[in-house]
Structure formats: structure tokens, C-alpha cells
Amino acid sequence: MQKRLRLRKKEDFAKVFKHGKAAANHQFVVYVRHSQAAEAFRFGVSVSKKVGNAVVRNRMRRRVKEIVRRMEPLVKPRVDIVCIVRKPALELDHAALKKSIHHVFKRAELLRAASRKQP
């Protein structure tokens, strides 16, 4: 994921959690905060220690970031997004993971109008 699309600082995550709106499904929780500072959207992933060990958590983080990176043209600009991975997401293959992320982004109204249909 490109540097301009990353959400990395603890303060940025805290702002999104505090002032953002949440949407969820069984596998993910997404917090969204509108930001005029960002040109495109910025994205961060959080995976709790409850999900698994470091190897499992980092693998999930990489998988989610890659799926969102490929969804970049579909996502609305000028928003900060934090995605929290829940334990049921570990059981999904790539296609199901992509479908679940698309679903939670749709619930959070993050997709552009033309891209609301399932990929």
C-alpha cells in the first residue's frame, strides 16, 4: 500500500476511533472519519492479540491491505478508515475475505456511487 494511503500514527487512529462512525459485519469493524486534509483515503488495520500470534496477525494485516489497495478506485476520497479484524476472518479464503470487506465498506458508505455492486 502506498505511503500516501497509510494511516500509521497512534494519534490518527485515536481521532478516527473518537470522532468516526462505525460499521461492522461478523469479520470486520470499520471506523470512518471524514478528513479534508487527505487527498485520497487513508487506511489503517488493527488486529488484536485475541486473533492469533504475530505471524497470523501480520498475515491478516497484509491480506486486508492488499484487498483494499486493489479497491482504491472504488473508495471515496477524503476519508480516514480504520479496519479492525475479528477472529472469524481467519477462516475465510481470499474471495470470501474480499466479499466481506466490500460488504462492510458498503455498509459504511465508503464506496463511490457507480461501484456499489458486488465485484
Side-chain angles (χ1 to χ4, degrees), residues 85-96:
V85 179
R86 290 179 169 172
K87 203 167 190 170
L90 296 176
E91 301 165 6
L92 301 179
D93 63 342
H94 184 77

Side-chain angles (χ1 to χ4, degrees), residues 35-74:
S35 169
Q36 295 303 324
E39 194 173 294
F41 70 93
R42 294 190 307 166
F43 183 75
V45 182
S46 177
V47 187
S48 170
K49 286 187 177 182
K50 293 178 185 178
V51 173
N53 64 17
V55 174
V56 172
R57 293 193 311 268
N58 286 324
R59 184 182 304 127
M60 281 307 297
R61 202 173 284 122
R62 286 192 307 268
R63 290 175 73 191
V64 170
K65 282 182 182 179
E66 178 61 18
I67 290 169
V68 173
R69 184 188 68 82
R70 291 180 182 216
M71 288 176 61
E72 181 182 353
L74 309 177

Side-chain angles (χ1 to χ4, degrees), residues 6-114:
R6 284 189 228 154
L7 197 62
R8 299 185 73 187
K9 294 181 182 177
K10 187 176 181 178
E11 301 86 42
D12 291 338
F13 274 79
K15 283 180 187 175
V16 175
F17 287 135
K18 186 174 181 180
H19 302 292
K21 298 202 183 237
N25 62 13
H26 292 293
Q27 294 82 20
F28 300 100
V29 179
V30 173
Y31 287 88
V32 181
R33 178 178 176 262
H34 294 280
S35 169
Q36 295 303 324
E39 194 173 294
F41 70 93
R42 294 190 307 166
F43 183 75
V45 182
S46 177
V47 187
S48 170
K49 286 187 177 182
K50 293 178 185 178
V51 173
N53 64 17
V55 174
V56 172
R57 293 193 311 268
N58 286 324
R59 184 182 304 127
M60 281 307 297
R61 202 173 284 122
R62 286 192 307 268
R63 290 175 73 191
V64 170
K65 282 182 182 179
E66 178 61 18
I67 290 169
V68 173
R69 184 188 68 82
R70 291 180 182 216
M71 288 176 61
E72 181 182 353
L74 309 177
V75 180
K76 289 181 181 178
R78 293 189 172 93
V79 291
D80 290 342
I81 306 165
V82 174
C83 181
I84 299 174
V85 179
R86 290 179 169 172
K87 203 167 190 170
L90 296 176
E91 301 165 6
L92 301 179
D93 63 342
H94 184 77
L97 204 60
K98 182 178 176 183
K99 186 176 178 182
S100 181
I101 291 172
H102 191 277
H103 174 255
V104 78
F105 273 38
K106 187 175 173 183
R107 288 187 81 168
E109 299 176 359
L110 286 171
L111 301 177
R112 296 174 193 237

